[in-house]
Amino acid sequence: ELVLKVRIQSPNLRENDFIEIELDRQELTYKELLRVSCHELGVNPEHVQKIRKLPNTMLRKDKDVARLQDFQELELVLTVSDKNLLFRVPTLSEQSGYNKKASELTY
């Protein structure tokens, strides 16, 4: 797996931390990067204008994605100005790493 750090580009967000995503090295395509990033960040892929490799390089095609190294930092640049309309807050059970059985354990 290739591990990348991804966030949404926005100076207006109070917390703009990166999250880590994993991509299968056999499926290193722009489309797969966009799909996984949007799913993990809760963003509609139709609202992504471009993906930027920080500090200043735009990713455009599969070859660009294939050259990425572990822990490189990427930003999704969104097309609409009202970013509040883009986000879907995932429920606790949809969040990565949530374990329903573990949440039911009592001590």
Side-chain angles (χ1 to χ4, degrees):
E1 290 182 333
L2 174 67
V3 179
L4 299 170
K5 295 168 63 175
V6 183
R7 71 178 180 187
I8 295 168
Q9 183 272 326
S10 176
N12 300 331
L13 289 178
R14 209 169 123 219
E15 290 187 31
N16 199 17
D17 295 332
F18 287 94
I19 62 166
E20 291 182 354
I21 63 168
E22 296 87 24
L23 292 177
D24 185 337
R25 289 190 186 268
Q26 305 304 315
E27 297 181 27
L28 287 181
T29 63
Y30 184 89
K31 184 177 179 179
E32 183 66 5
L33 171 62
L34 179 63
R35 185 191 71 75
V36 172
S37 298
C38 287
H39 175 75
E40 292 290 329
L41 291 168
V43 173
N44 185 335
E46 294 175 3
H47 295 141
V48 176
Q49 179 181 2
K50 61 185 171 183
I51 300 175
R52 177 184 298 131
K53 180 176 77 171
L54 294 178
N56 59 4
T57 304
M58 184 173 65
L59 298 179
R60 300 172 296 137
K61 54 190 175 190
D62 293 348
K63 284 186 178 184
D64 297 340
V65 175
R67 286 191 290 269
L68 293 174
Q69 305 281 321
D70 275 330
F71 301 103
Q72 282 196 298
E73 296 178 344
L74 307 176
E75 284 185 332
L76 299 184
V77 179
L78 305 180
T79 56
V80 257
S81 58
D82 188 2
K83 308 223 179 338
N84 292 333
L85 298 175
L86 303 179
F87 298 105
R88 180 184 67 79
V89 177
T91 64
L92 188 58
S93 61
E94 291 177 320
Q95 292 178 5
S96 297
Y98 176 75
N99 183 334
K100 184 170 179 8
K101 288 186 179 189
S103 71
E104 295 171 351
L105 292 176
T106 57
Y107 295 92

